[in-house]
Amino acid sequence: MKIKVIITGSTGMVGEGVLLECLQNPNVEQILLLNRKPYGIDHPQVKELIHSDFNNLSSIKEELMGYDVCFFCAGVSSVGMSKEEYFRLTYTLTLNFAKDLVAINPEMVFCYVSGRGTDSSEQGRVNWAKVKGKTENDLMRLPFRAVYNFRPGMMGPTKGAKNVKGAFKVIEFLYPFLRPFNKTYFLTLAEVGRAMINVSLHGYNKHVLEIQDISFLANNNQ
C-alpha cells in the first residue's frame, strides 16, 4: 500500500524530522508540505503549498483532495504566551484546520503531535496540558477514518536537519549518551516519523500514543 501524505510544520524541527523519514520510506508515494512560510525543497515526491491562514482552507480545497494522511506537526510553545493566545494557536487553529480537512478527505487518517504530560481530563492545573488534552479529545470526535494523538517526550533530531535550534542542539550532542539510560523517555524524530507512517498503514489499538506506543510502532511494521 502506498500513501499520499500532507505534512504541516516542516519548517520546525518535528515536522522536518517527519518529512525526512517520509522521504526514506517506500510506502510514502507523495508528500504535500502545507506551510505558512517556505521550507524550500526540490524533490520529485514533494510539493510545497504556502497558505497563511490555517483557520480556513477553503481557497486551497482542490489542492488538498486525494490525500490519505495528515501529519499535523505545526505547533507553538506556551512559554511567554498568554492563555488566550496559546488556546487560539493550539486549540482553535488545529480544530478549524481539521474540520476543513475532514470535509475534504473524510477517509483520511489524522496524526496530531501533542506532548508527553498532556491532560486528557482537561481539569489539571497546567494550562498547556489542558489545552492539548482538549485538542486531542475534540480531534477524536471528528469523522476522520482515524485520529492518533502522539505524545513524544524528548526527541533526538534527525541527522542533516536544518531546523534544529537552541537547546535541541545540546540534546543532539547528548542524545547518544542519554538514550541508553532511559529508552522510555527519549525518542528520535526518525522513530516518530516511522510510527506515524506505520499507524497510518496498519492502525493501532490505541488512539492516544505514549512514548512506549510510539517506540513499538516505529520498530514493528505489523
Side-chain angles (χ1 to χ4, degrees), residues 171-192:
I171 293 168
E172 184 177 24
F173 174 75
L174 294 175
Y175 188 88
F177 306 100
L178 296 174
R179 173 68 181 262
F181 293 101
N182 196 339
K183 293 182 180 179
T184 62
Y185 185 76
F186 291 95
L187 292 166
T188 65
L189 278 167
E191 287 175 308
V192 174

Side-chain angles (χ1 to χ4, degrees), residues 44-120:
Q45 281 179 268
V46 182
K47 176 182 177 182
E48 187 167 18
L49 179 60
I50 305 303
H51 185 68
S52 60
D53 186 6
F54 274 29
N55 285 288
N56 189 335
L57 305 179
S58 59
S59 65
I60 56 171
K61 176 180 177 180
E62 292 186 1
E63 296 176 82
L64 302 179
M65 291 180 177
Y67 286 86
D68 306 297
V69 188
C70 178
F71 298 148
F72 194 91
C73 305
V76 295
S77 169
S78 64
V79 177
M81 191 175 292
S82 70
K83 290 183 178 180
E84 294 76 16
E85 185 73 354
Y86 184 72
F87 187 88
R88 182 180 70 83
L89 293 175
T90 299
Y91 175 83
T92 305
L93 182 146
T94 304
L95 265 292
N96 286 342
F97 179 97
K99 287 174 182 177
D100 278 0
L101 193 60
V102 76
I104 298 166
N105 295 309
E107 290 301 310
M108 174 178 274
V109 173
F110 192 91
C111 294
Y112 174 63
V113 178
S114 184
R116 182 177 181 269
T118 291
D119 179 11
S120 296

Side-chain angles (χ1 to χ4, degrees), residues 92-166:
T92 305
L93 182 146
T94 304
L95 265 292
N96 286 342
F97 179 97
K99 287 174 182 177
D100 278 0
L101 193 60
V102 76
I104 298 166
N105 295 309
E107 290 301 310
M108 174 178 274
V109 173
F110 192 91
C111 294
Y112 174 63
V113 178
S114 184
R116 182 177 181 269
T118 291
D119 179 11
S120 296
S121 75
E122 306 176 32
Q123 301 299 315
R125 294 182 178 181
V126 181
N127 183 65
W128 76 262
K130 291 191 293 183
V131 174
K132 286 281 192 179
K134 181 172 177 57
T135 305
E136 288 185 353
N137 291 340
D138 288 356
L139 283 173
M140 289 189 287
R141 296 186 178 103
L142 296 180
F144 286 106
R145 178 160 63 88
V147 172
Y148 297 99
N149 296 300
F150 280 67
R151 294 181 175 182
M154 198 64 71
M155 292 175 284
T158 300
K159 186 176 181 180
K162 60 184 182 181
N163 290 316
V164 180
K165 298 177 182 178

Side-chain angles (χ1 to χ4, degrees), residues 30-49:
Q30 188 175 330
I31 302 165
L32 174 65
L33 302 183
L34 183 54
N35 290 326
R36 286 166 287 194
K37 60 181 180 180
Y39 173 77
I41 184 171
D42 183 12
H43 193 284
Q45 281 179 268
V46 182
K47 176 182 177 182
E48 187 167 18
L49 179 60

